[in-house]
Amino acid sequence: AKAGGGGTFDFYTEELTAHAFEQVLLEGSLRQALATHAFVLHYQPQLELNGERLHGLEALVRWQHPELGLVAPGKFIPLAEESGLIVPLGRWVLAEACRQMAEWRDAGLLSAETMMCVNLSTKQFADQELLGVIQRSLRESGLDAGQLELEVTESVMMRASDQVIPQLERLRALGIKVALDDFGTGYSSLSYLKRLPFTKLKIDRSFVSELPEDASDVAITKAIIALAESLSLDVLAEGVETARQRDFLRVHGCRLAQGFLYSRPLAAVECERYLAAFGSR
Ligand code: C2E
Ligand code: CA
Ligand code: CA
Ligand code: CA
C-alpha cells in the first residue's frame, strides 16, 4: 500500500483484495461441493398449452450447502463460469439429468417422448470434450438422444464462430434438440436464427410477466410466436404464473408453457410424485 496521502487508493485496493479473497474461498467451496456431490437437480415441468399434456422437464441445479441450505444457481453459476468450474459441474448436470430421466422412463413414470431439458453455459461450448461428454451421458444412462434438449442463451450466438456452429450441428446430427433460452433479452441478430440449428424458442419471463396488460409485451410475445412459426421452431413461454397469462398465450398460438402456475421446480422425490399423479389423471 502507498504511504500517506493515498487513503482512497489504499481503501480501494483493500476492498478489491477482500473481494478477491472471498472469491477464492467461494471457489474453494464450490470445488469441494463438486468433489463431495453436494449439488442436486430440481425439475420443472413444461406443459402443452392445449390439453396440458406433459412436454418435458427442465433440470435446474442447486447447491446443498451445509450451513446456507439450498443455494440458487444465480448465486454460484456466474463464479463457476468465471473459474471454469462450470465445465465439470455441467458434465455432472448432464450425466445426472440423463440418469434420472432414464430411471423415470424405466419406472413407467413418463413417455418415451417426454423431453429432458438441460441448461448449457456458453463456456461449455469451448470444451472440446462436450460432444463426448454428452454421448457418454446418453450411453451410460440409456436415454434416447431424441429425449435430450440443450438450452443455450443468446450469448452463445455472440461466439457463433468457428466452434459453436459445428458443435451445434453435430449435436443436431445425433438427434439432440437445442432451445434458445431467454429469447429476446440478448444481443442476437435475427440472421443467427437462420444459421444456427435451433429447434425451440423460449420466450423470456420478462415478456410474459405483464401479459396481457403491457402493450409492448403483448406485441413482442405475439411477434416471437409468429417468428417461431414461420421458422418452424417450437415455442415455449417461461415464467407463466397466472391463468390470464396462460389464456393469452393459448389464444395466440404459443404451444408450450412453463411456470409457477403449473409447478415450481421440484426435488427428485417430489417430481416423482408429480409424475405419478400426472400419469393417473
Ligand atoms: P433459466 O434457464 O431461465 O431457468 C428458469 C428460472 O426461472 C429458474 O430459476 C426457475 O426456477 C425460474 N422460474 C420458473 N418458473 C417461474 C415463474 O413462474 N416465475 C418466476 N418468477 N420464476 C420462475 P433458477 O432455478 O433459480 O435458475 C436460474 C438460472 O440459473 C437459470 O435460468 C439458468 O440460466 C441457470 N441454471 C440453472 N441450472 C443450470 C445448470 O445446470 N447449468 C447452467 N449452465 N445454468 C443453470
Ligand atoms: Ca433454461
Ligand atoms: Ca430461461
Ligand atoms: Ca430467464
Side-chain angles (χ1 to χ4, degrees):
K2 263 199 303 182
T8 311
F9 178 76
D10 282 350
F11 179 72
Y12 181 67
T13 314
E14 273 160 30
E15 278 283 282
L16 260 187
T17 309
H19 179 68
F21 184 65
E22 271 170 29
Q23 294 278 101
V24 167
L25 281 185
L26 181 56
E27 198 184 315
S29 41
L30 267 184
R31 232 175 258 286
Q32 200 191 358
L34 207 55
T36 57
H37 309 285
F39 292 103
V40 287
L41 294 183
H42 283 196
Y43 302 90
Q44 188 176 34
Q46 300 181 342
L47 287 103
E48 290 180 6
L49 275 159
N50 268 323
E52 310 209 329
R53 244 173 42 111
L54 184 69
H55 166 76
L57 299 170
E58 178 175 3
L60 295 157
V61 71
R62 276 100 182 82
W63 176 10
Q64 221 146 28
H65 192 280
E67 280 109 44
L68 301 174
L70 216 55
V71 184
K75 293 264 194 315
F76 62 88
I77 291 280
L79 182 66
E81 286 179 337
E82 239 174 83
S83 62
L85 275 175
I86 191 68
V87 172
L89 175 59
R91 288 179 184 180
W92 177 82
V93 170
L94 272 164
E96 177 58 15
C98 292
R99 186 203 63 75
Q100 182 64 84
M101 194 65 175
E103 187 186 298
W104 285 335
R105 179 204 58 196
D106 292 347
L109 286 167
L110 35 79
S111 82
E113 283 89 57
T114 313
M115 301 300 299
M116 172 52 75
C117 307
V118 177
N119 292 283
L120 223 60
S121 148
T122 304
K123 268 258 168 92
Q124 291 177 265
F125 276 90
D127 177 18
Q128 292 303 315
E129 292 166 50
L130 177 65
L131 213 73
V133 166
I134 292 170
Q135 282 176 300
R136 176 148 37 90
S137 293
L138 290 172
R139 195 175 56 242
E140 284 176 358
S141 64
L143 188 72
D144 194 64
Q147 267 183 286
L148 182 62
E149 180 169 274
L150 305 173
E151 299 194 357
V152 300
T153 61
E154 289 171 77
S155 64
V156 85
M157 302 207 276
M158 287 175 47
R159 306 231 257 139
S161 51
D162 331 331
Q163 282 171 346
V164 173
I165 297 177
Q167 286 264 50
L168 286 174
E169 274 163 359
R170 267 179 251 129
L171 291 168
R172 290 289 302 120
L174 294 174
I176 294 164
K177 298 190 172 71
V178 186
L180 193 48
D181 207 352
D182 303 344
F183 186 69
T185 59
Y187 314 78
S188 57
S189 139
L190 291 177
S191 73
Y192 281 120
L193 279 183
K194 223 175 71 176
R195 284 170 49 213
L196 296 180
F198 297 112
T199 47
K200 184 195 277 173
L201 297 183
K202 293 191 78 174
I203 305 173
D204 190 68
R205 186 171 81 221
S206 59
F207 302 121
V208 173
S209 62
E210 285 168 65
L211 290 178
E213 297 87 18
D214 186 286
S216 45
D217 287 343
V218 164
I220 290 168
T221 300
K222 281 159 72 174
I224 296 175
I225 294 167
L227 183 66
E229 177 156 54
S230 61
L231 293 170
S232 304
L233 298 172
D234 214 349
V235 62
L236 179 146
E238 295 191 301
V240 178
E241 294 182 349
T242 69
R244 287 189 75 204
Q245 292 164 354
R246 175 199 62 202
D247 295 343
F248 175 91
L249 291 159
R250 192 187 275 148
V251 163
H252 289 91
C254 183
R255 198 175 82 83
L256 303 166
Q258 174 179 2
F260 295 169
L261 175 68
Y262 298 102
S263 171
R264 290 178 177 268
L266 304 167
V269 280
E270 296 171 323
C271 190
E272 213 163 288
R273 257 179 263 136
Y274 175 93
L275 292 173
F278 208 96
S280 63
R281 85 176 190 194

